[in-house]
Amino acid sequence: MAAHQSSEWRSVCEKFRLAQELSEIESRKDPENNPFRSKYKARDLLKEIHCSLKKIEIEEEGEADNEADCESREMVDGELGSECGKSCSGDSPAGLRAARLAVVQYCLGVNHIETEELSAGEQHLMNCLKLIDKCTTTRENVSLFIQARNQLGILWAGRDEIEKAQGFLEIAESMYLLYMREDGQPPLDLEDFFVLEGEELSQQEKIRRFEMAYTHTLYYLAQVYKNLQQYEKAGQYCHSTLQRQLEYKQFVPLEWAINAATLSQYYITKTRYMEARHCLAAASVIATLAGEIPSEAAAKESDAECEKREELLQKRSEIARCWIKYCLNLMQDAKKLLEDNIGELDLDRQEELKRARRSVEEEKEKGRKSAILFGSSDTFDSICSLEEKVSSMLPLDFEEARSIFLVGQSYVAQAKEYFAMDGHVTDHIEILQDHSALFKVLAFFEQDLERRCKMHKRRVDMLEPICKDLNAQYYLLICRQLQFELAETYYEMMDLKLAVADRQDQPDVHTIKKFNNLCSSSMKYYQMFLDSIRSPEGKFPEKLEDDLLRPALVARFRVARLQSKLISSNLDTQLENLTNSLDSYNFVVQYCEENPEAKKAVETELELSIEMVSLLPLKINRIRSKITSCN
């Protein structure tokens, strides 16, 4: 790189600086009716630089062929010339000349992509690769090698050519790993090719920019693997990206936090709760780096403060919702392990799991934790402190489940700060449904039947007012969900009251009244759900849609059971209840006979319905006989 101090070289360096400034800073100020004004100016400068480089190249080689002077523009706008026809070392004079030209081609490629001229952008990026691919990879061109492939990976991914994108990005990844293994010295950055002596970037800044380019490679590969449905790989690359962004301080706090919280949801699906908790703890801590939430008073006085308040509340509430899912899934997975064949807590299984956990979990956690840690010295302690507030192990008894429940419940309150009913109906109701689900799974661990019943009553208290107020015309699906859940909740409360009553010699009047009210409430909501399926003329569909098949048949089956459970001393009322029950059981049986494919969806319910269809007529006839004899 002789002639670095010549006036022409100084002019080239200044033009490159201006082109960068136009692209990265001035372009943000471009008017809406001319959004690429600064980009086009930068492009013109880059073309001038390319022409000057060709001239300098000829001078450096001691050649005087005038044809190369400005015919080189053909290469800028078209195909590559043959100035580097032979293989050369990346750090040789020829290699450095090729790298300088390749940087200009790279910048022109990015420029065209940013102005939505994708084909031209692709051509320039390929020209860049052709130039540097003729040279060995060295510290002079390795960063450019990776960044050009990153850009081509993004370009092809945007065209939904995911496998082509994968090819470019995986080569970039392997080149980084090879370079770091064999050399590892801070490589030249693209700017280093166009600075005067003494103005080069510091070694630290070169490392930072090189590592940032590789972080981008990992980030884009995470998206590629996700699109290819290679979710395990996508999760690994996303985790590595987040780790590197923290390590090199290349992140926007709220954006990073949301990405980490989103990654936690992937780990939850794989029951990797330690990793999920770590992601969420890191998300919560890093989100605080975005600053304090402005007060309502401050938000009213300033648009900027209002926007900041809105954004911070929203993002932190989104992270809180991820915490709720963590607590809920952790408890639900424990329930699946601990329940017996009728859905109750299996005490023998509970004791067995407790013994196994004591000897295994501690060592298992130590081995996995070292590979997944986030944070730097200033955030690590805060992240660990937050992790300690909630377990990552499946709860095996009520106290363990309750501690997780309380954490989840605290995040419910936090999530509702932004996702209020006014303005966020769907989100608010989903949060309430998760809150209800937390109570439901906590009740599984509770051995006291009365206390368990009170937990279900809390679910009713939070969902029933919403269900009554919601307009089914606009929120039909949500109304159906709420109706079915309320029906199920009352149904569970009825079963609990029945179990309590069975322990008594003779239920008192109050207990019978309470029991009947629970039955009636459950039937009411099941019937509301079933009525929502009817046509505007009130006709029930002859064939149920797939997503409604099991819920509708289960609803009819449970209505049948509830009708038969109602307690009455009046024989006429008993006869009416059992007749209605028989009709409902008959509906389930007849529907499955007419639609055999439905049998698999309700095997247990169908078996019991067939049994009741044969038994109930006998009971009905006995009651009729009693009525006749009484008359």
Side-chain angles (χ1 to χ4, degrees), residues 301-418:
E301 293 177 5
S302 162
D303 288 344
E305 291 292 282
C306 183
E307 285 179 17
K308 184 179 179 182
R309 176 181 170 80
E310 178 84 2
E311 184 182 27
L312 288 175
L313 273 175
Q314 180 181 352
K315 300 304 182 187
R316 290 182 186 179
S317 293
E318 286 173 1
I319 294 167
R321 292 184 73 176
C322 291
W323 271 112
I324 296 167
K325 294 294 185 186
Y326 170 86
C327 295
L328 179 56
N329 280 274
L330 187 61
M331 294 170 71
Q332 287 175 335
D333 282 346
K335 177 179 179 288
K336 289 173 190 173
L337 276 179
L338 290 166
E339 65 186 351
D340 57 22
N341 58 0
I342 60 168
E344 290 295 318
L345 180 63
D346 186 328
L347 297 176
D348 292 336
R349 176 72 173 147
Q350 181 187 48
E351 191 55 41
E352 178 189 332
L353 287 171
K354 281 187 175 182
R355 283 197 302 271
R357 187 173 69 180
R358 291 186 196 111
S359 60
V360 173
E361 282 296 335
E362 287 80 0
E363 288 304 315
K364 187 177 175 183
E365 181 162 333
K366 284 177 189 174
R368 284 164 60 196
K369 195 161 189 176
S370 60
I372 62 120
L373 293 177
F374 285 136
S376 52
S377 56
D378 51 344
T379 59
F380 184 76
D381 289 345
S382 299
I383 292 170
C384 289
S385 176
L386 192 53
E387 283 184 288
E388 289 170 3
K389 293 182 179 180
V390 60
S391 175
S392 65
M393 292 187 288
L394 297 178
L396 298 180
D397 57 34
F398 179 79
E399 287 306 317
E400 290 178 2
R402 183 175 178 273
S403 67
I404 295 167
F405 167 85
L406 291 173
V407 172
Q409 186 167 246
S410 70
Y411 283 111
V412 167
Q414 190 173 319
K416 288 195 290 188
E417 285 182 33
Y418 178 78

Side-chain angles (χ1 to χ4, degrees), residues 267-321:
Y267 284 131
I268 287 170
T269 66
K270 299 298 181 183
T271 66
R272 292 167 61 179
Y273 287 104
M274 188 182 69
E275 290 92 333
R277 180 184 65 175
H278 189 66
C279 286
L280 286 167
S284 295
V285 169
I286 298 301
T288 63
L289 301 181
E292 293 292 323
I293 298 174
S295 65
E296 286 188 46
K300 288 176 182 176
E301 293 177 5
S302 162
D303 288 344
E305 291 292 282
C306 183
E307 285 179 17
K308 184 179 179 182
R309 176 181 170 80
E310 178 84 2
E311 184 182 27
L312 288 175
L313 273 175
Q314 180 181 352
K315 300 304 182 187
R316 290 182 186 179
S317 293
E318 286 173 1
I319 294 167
R321 292 184 73 176

Side-chain angles (χ1 to χ4, degrees), residues 10 19 210-211 320 355 439 463 494 606 622:
R10 287 176 178 275
F210 182 56
E211 296 296 347
R355 283 197 302 271
F439 271 108
L463 296 180
M494 179 275 295
L606 177 59
R622 282 199 299 271

Side-chain angles (χ1 to χ4, degrees), residues 143 169 179-180 193 207 239 256 297 308 345 351 355 401 494 511 529 578 622:
S143 184
L169 293 166
Y179 177 78
M180 294 303 289
F193 288 94
I207 292 171
H239 201 117
W256 191 96
K308 184 179 179 182
L345 180 63
E351 191 55 41
R355 283 197 302 271
M494 179 275 295
T511 302
F529 171 79
L578 290 177
R622 282 199 299 271

